[in-house]
mmCIF file of all heavy atoms in Angstrom:
data_model
loop_
_atom_site.group_PDB
_atom_site.id
_atom_site.type_symbol
_atom_site.label_atom_id
_atom_site.label_comp_id
_atom_site.label_asym_id
_atom_site.label_seq_id
_atom_site.Cartn_x
_atom_site.Cartn_y
_atom_site.Cartn_z
ATOM 1 N N ILE A 19 4.143 21.389 0.470
ATOM 2 C CA ILE A 19 4.967 22.598 0.409
ATOM 3 C C ILE A 19 5.013 23.113 -1.027
ATOM 4 O O ILE A 19 4.871 24.314 -1.276
ATOM 5 C CB ILE A 19 6.389 22.321 0.940
ATOM 6 C CG1 ILE A 19 6.349 22.019 2.428
ATOM 7 C CG2 ILE A 19 7.327 23.474 0.640
ATOM 8 C CD1 ILE A 19 5.946 23.175 3.301
ATOM 9 N N TRP A 23 3.694 26.716 -2.371
ATOM 10 C CA TRP A 23 4.574 27.635 -3.097
ATOM 11 C C TRP A 23 3.981 28.001 -4.449
ATOM 12 O O TRP A 23 4.170 29.117 -4.925
ATOM 13 C CB TRP A 23 5.944 27.034 -3.292
ATOM 14 C CG TRP A 23 6.815 27.086 -2.085
ATOM 15 C CD1 TRP A 23 6.715 27.946 -1.028
ATOM 16 C CD2 TRP A 23 7.904 26.238 -1.795
ATOM 17 N NE1 TRP A 23 7.686 27.682 -0.105
ATOM 18 C CE2 TRP A 23 8.428 26.646 -0.551
ATOM 19 C CE3 TRP A 23 8.501 25.183 -2.458
ATOM 20 C CZ2 TRP A 23 9.522 26.027 0.034
ATOM 21 C CZ3 TRP A 23 9.579 24.573 -1.867
ATOM 22 C CH2 TRP A 23 10.097 24.986 -0.636
ATOM 23 N N ARG A 34 9.698 33.556 1.294
ATOM 24 C CA ARG A 34 8.701 32.496 1.135
ATOM 25 C C ARG A 34 9.257 31.095 1.260
ATOM 26 O O ARG A 34 8.648 30.229 1.866
ATOM 27 C CB ARG A 34 7.994 32.627 -0.220
ATOM 28 C CG ARG A 34 7.236 33.898 -0.402
ATOM 29 C CD ARG A 34 6.027 33.898 0.464
ATOM 30 N NE ARG A 34 5.280 35.122 0.241
ATOM 31 C CZ ARG A 34 4.295 35.508 1.000
ATOM 32 N NH1 ARG A 34 3.945 34.772 2.017
ATOM 33 N NH2 ARG A 34 3.671 36.618 0.764
ATOM 34 N N TRP A 35 10.418 30.813 0.653
ATOM 35 C CA TRP A 35 10.862 29.425 0.607
ATOM 36 C C TRP A 35 11.641 28.965 1.828
ATOM 37 O O TRP A 35 11.627 27.765 2.131
ATOM 38 C CB TRP A 35 11.617 29.122 -0.683
ATOM 39 C CG TRP A 35 12.903 29.862 -0.886
ATOM 40 C CD1 TRP A 35 13.081 31.001 -1.601
ATOM 41 C CD2 TRP A 35 14.181 29.510 -0.382
ATOM 42 N NE1 TRP A 35 14.384 31.386 -1.565
ATOM 43 C CE2 TRP A 35 15.093 30.483 -0.818
ATOM 44 C CE3 TRP A 35 14.657 28.475 0.404
ATOM 45 C CZ2 TRP A 35 16.432 30.448 -0.496
ATOM 46 C CZ3 TRP A 35 15.990 28.438 0.732
ATOM 47 C CH2 TRP A 35 16.864 29.416 0.275
ATOM 48 N N PRO A 36 12.357 29.813 2.581
ATOM 49 C CA PRO A 36 13.112 29.276 3.733
ATOM 50 C C PRO A 36 12.268 28.573 4.791
ATOM 51 O O PRO A 36 12.688 27.521 5.293
ATOM 52 C CB PRO A 36 13.838 30.497 4.297
ATOM 53 C CG PRO A 36 14.023 31.385 3.115
ATOM 54 C CD PRO A 36 12.757 31.210 2.328
ATOM 55 N N PRO A 37 11.077 29.079 5.161
ATOM 56 C CA PRO A 37 10.295 28.308 6.142
ATOM 57 C C PRO A 37 9.922 26.910 5.638
ATOM 58 O O PRO A 37 9.985 25.939 6.396
ATOM 59 C CB PRO A 37 9.051 29.166 6.355
ATOM 60 C CG PRO A 37 9.452 30.542 5.970
ATOM 61 C CD PRO A 37 10.445 30.367 4.865
ATOM 62 N N GLY A 38 9.580 26.812 4.369
ATOM 63 C CA GLY A 38 9.265 25.498 3.808
ATOM 64 C C GLY A 38 10.480 24.595 3.768
ATOM 65 O O GLY A 38 10.392 23.401 4.019
ATOM 66 N N ALA A 39 11.647 25.179 3.475
ATOM 67 C CA ALA A 39 12.883 24.396 3.448
ATOM 68 C C ALA A 39 13.217 23.875 4.842
ATOM 69 O O ALA A 39 13.623 22.719 4.998
ATOM 70 C CB ALA A 39 14.024 25.241 2.902
ATOM 71 N N LEU A 40 13.044 24.710 5.853
ATOM 72 C CA LEU A 40 13.297 24.257 7.224
ATOM 73 C C LEU A 40 12.318 23.159 7.633
ATOM 74 O O LEU A 40 12.690 22.202 8.315
ATOM 75 C CB LEU A 40 13.221 25.428 8.191
ATOM 76 C CG LEU A 40 14.364 26.434 8.096
ATOM 77 C CD1 LEU A 40 14.100 27.626 9.010
ATOM 78 C CD2 LEU A 40 15.680 25.781 8.430
ATOM 79 N N PHE A 41 11.071 23.288 7.207
ATOM 80 C CA PHE A 41 10.082 22.248 7.494
ATOM 81 C C PHE A 41 10.483 20.937 6.825
ATOM 82 O O PHE A 41 10.421 19.868 7.445
ATOM 83 C CB PHE A 41 8.699 22.702 7.032
ATOM 84 C CG PHE A 41 7.641 21.659 7.211
ATOM 85 C CD1 PHE A 41 7.155 21.360 8.474
ATOM 86 C CD2 PHE A 41 7.137 20.960 6.131
ATOM 87 C CE1 PHE A 41 6.180 20.395 8.652
ATOM 88 C CE2 PHE A 41 6.169 20.000 6.289
ATOM 89 C CZ PHE A 41 5.677 19.707 7.554
ATOM 90 N N LEU A 42 10.906 21.012 5.561
ATOM 91 C CA LEU A 42 11.325 19.794 4.867
ATOM 92 C C LEU A 42 12.581 19.189 5.496
ATOM 93 O O LEU A 42 12.714 17.968 5.554
ATOM 94 C CB LEU A 42 11.557 20.093 3.385
ATOM 95 C CG LEU A 42 10.302 20.367 2.578
ATOM 96 C CD1 LEU A 42 10.670 20.756 1.155
ATOM 97 C CD2 LEU A 42 9.370 19.170 2.583
ATOM 98 N N LEU A 43 13.481 20.036 5.985
ATOM 99 C CA LEU A 43 14.657 19.528 6.689
ATOM 100 C C LEU A 43 14.240 18.779 7.952
ATOM 101 O O LEU A 43 14.753 17.695 8.245
ATOM 102 C CB LEU A 43 15.606 20.674 7.038
ATOM 103 C CG LEU A 43 16.855 20.301 7.831
ATOM 104 C CD1 LEU A 43 17.724 19.333 7.044
ATOM 105 C CD2 LEU A 43 17.624 21.544 8.202
ATOM 106 N N LEU A 99 17.813 23.130 -0.573
ATOM 107 C CA LEU A 99 16.383 22.825 -0.663
ATOM 108 C C LEU A 99 16.131 21.785 -1.737
ATOM 109 O O LEU A 99 15.399 20.815 -1.534
ATOM 110 C CB LEU A 99 15.575 24.097 -0.933
ATOM 111 C CG LEU A 99 14.120 23.904 -1.319
ATOM 112 C CD1 LEU A 99 13.339 23.292 -0.155
ATOM 113 C CD2 LEU A 99 13.504 25.221 -1.731
#
Side-chain angles (χ1 to χ4, degrees):
I19 293 293
W23 282 337
R34 298 289 182 191
W35 64 264
L40 290 174
F41 176 74
L42 289 176
L43 178 62
L99 168 65

